[in-house]
Amino acid sequence: MKLAISAALVGSASAWSTLTMKAQTPNSRRDILQKGAAIATTIAAPAAANAYAVPDLLYPFEALEPYIDAPTMKIHHDKHHATYVANINKATEGKEEVDILDLQLNALEAGPGVRNSGGGHYNHAFFWDEMAPPDEAKKTKPSAELEAAIDKAFGSFDEMKAKFEAQAAPGAVFGSGWVWVCSSSDGLKIVGTPNQDNPLMKGVTDEVMFPILGIDVWEHAYYLKYQNRRPEYVSNWWNVVNWDKVSENYAYVLEKKAGVPVRG
């Protein structure tokens, strides 16, 4: 980008030097200035065009079997996530490009396009990367720091899982939504959010919090395999959680006091 800008500026200077050697009318000088301003504006503030993309999975669609089936993964990733990406690109078309993480804080103020589609993109990109094939996931475990935080907040690892599953039950998150383990000003907390909201969004929860783990409890995440048995889906999901990644997320938010960046 720096080379492109330098080339553009050198080219503009060369053209200007040549032109100033000729007799100029006021109109010709005004045209040159206007064209130069247009070039400078284009270089300084490029508009976002298809700024966001669906990230490739880090594993094949069938890798999470038997706990999450391949058809669900393919539809979820290639159709549902892709729709959120297409819509957030439309909502931000012609605007300066902003990282998807940075869109979350003021998403409610920005309106439904950013809140629903921007949230949907961030949430799904986060979700894919915290999972791993069962044979790999079972070899992972919470870091010592994360384990201590879990014990302090919930009593034990098993109690954390039980509280998380209770929050993910249909009666707790009615309809569509997500359940998160977040780092807050008062340690770890478990919260549910509706639709594509997340705790990074100001106004969704009591305070802005930083998710380190999250599960999608929209029906599209599990219905082909589990139908109306959401609790079974949530219980089985633990078998594909990559605790090494969750531990990395926890370490990141503690150090940066910010949300976890995602691919795409």
Side-chain angles (χ1 to χ4, degrees):
M1 181 64 175
K2 290 180 180 178
L3 289 174
I5 292 174
S6 298
L9 293 175
V10 169
S12 297
S14 176
W16 179 264
S17 298
T18 301
L19 286 165
T20 53
M21 293 173 66
K22 300 179 181 180
Q24 297 176 348
T25 65
N27 285 340
S28 66
R29 287 195 295 272
R30 184 163 53 251
D31 289 344
I32 292 167
L33 289 170
Q34 288 173 344
K35 289 176 181 178
I39 292 170
T41 300
T42 301
I43 293 171
N50 295 323
Y52 309 106
V54 180
D56 291 337
L57 295 177
L58 301 176
Y59 40 79
F61 291 119
E62 67 274 14
L64 306 185
E65 296 270 11
Y67 305 106
I68 303 179
D69 57 293
T72 291
M73 286 297 297
K74 184 169 180 58
I75 294 170
H76 197 175
H77 178 269
D78 288 2
K79 301 299 183 182
H80 291 282
H81 191 175
T83 298
Y84 291 119
V85 167
N87 287 336
I88 189 58
N89 280 330
K90 289 179 183 176
T92 56
E93 186 175 2
K95 300 178 182 178
E96 187 176 354
E97 183 174 339
V98 177
D99 188 275
I100 192 64
L101 173 60
D102 296 331
L103 282 182
Q104 304 306 303
L105 180 62
N106 296 310
L108 272 64
E109 296 176 13
V114 172
R115 180 179 185 176
N116 297 332
S117 300
H121 177 32
Y122 180 87
N123 296 348
H124 284 88
F126 183 98
F127 183 59
W128 307 135
D129 284 3
E130 69 184 359
M131 297 187 290
D135 288 347
E136 296 178 20
K138 69 182 180 182
K139 299 174 185 176
T140 69
K141 62 180 182 179
S143 65
E145 293 77 12
L146 177 55
E147 185 175 15
I150 288 172
D151 289 347
K152 181 178 180 181
F154 309 112
S156 70
F157 186 70
D158 287 339
E159 288 184 61
M160 180 276 294
K161 289 171 66 176
K163 290 176 181 177
F164 187 92
E165 291 180 23
Q167 182 62 61
V173 177
F174 182 75
S176 303
W178 293 74
V179 176
W180 312 90
V181 176
C182 301
S183 178
S184 75
S185 61
D186 191 30
L188 295 181
K189 290 184 179 180
I190 293 171
V191 297
T193 56
N195 302 315
Q196 294 299 344
D197 288 354
N198 63 56
L200 293 166
M201 298 176 178
K202 185 170 59 180
V204 168
T205 51
D206 292 340
E207 62 174 310
V208 171
M209 295 184 281
F210 308 123
I212 63 169
L213 176 72
I215 186 172
D216 187 349
V217 293
W218 282 62
E219 285 188 345
H220 65 233
Y222 63 87
Y223 200 82
L224 290 180
K225 181 175 178 66
Y226 295 98
Q227 290 82 51
N228 63 332
R229 304 189 308 277
R230 185 198 288 181
E232 184 181 347
Y233 154 67
V234 176
S235 177
N236 281 340
W237 178 71
W238 296 115
N239 292 290
V240 296
V241 172
N242 180 349
W243 287 103
D244 290 345
K245 172 58 175 168
V246 179
S247 298
E248 289 177 13
N249 292 347
Y250 181 61
Y252 182 91
V253 302
L254 281 187
E255 179 186 355
K256 303 294 185 180
K257 301 296 187 292
V260 174
V262 296
R263 298 180 301 122

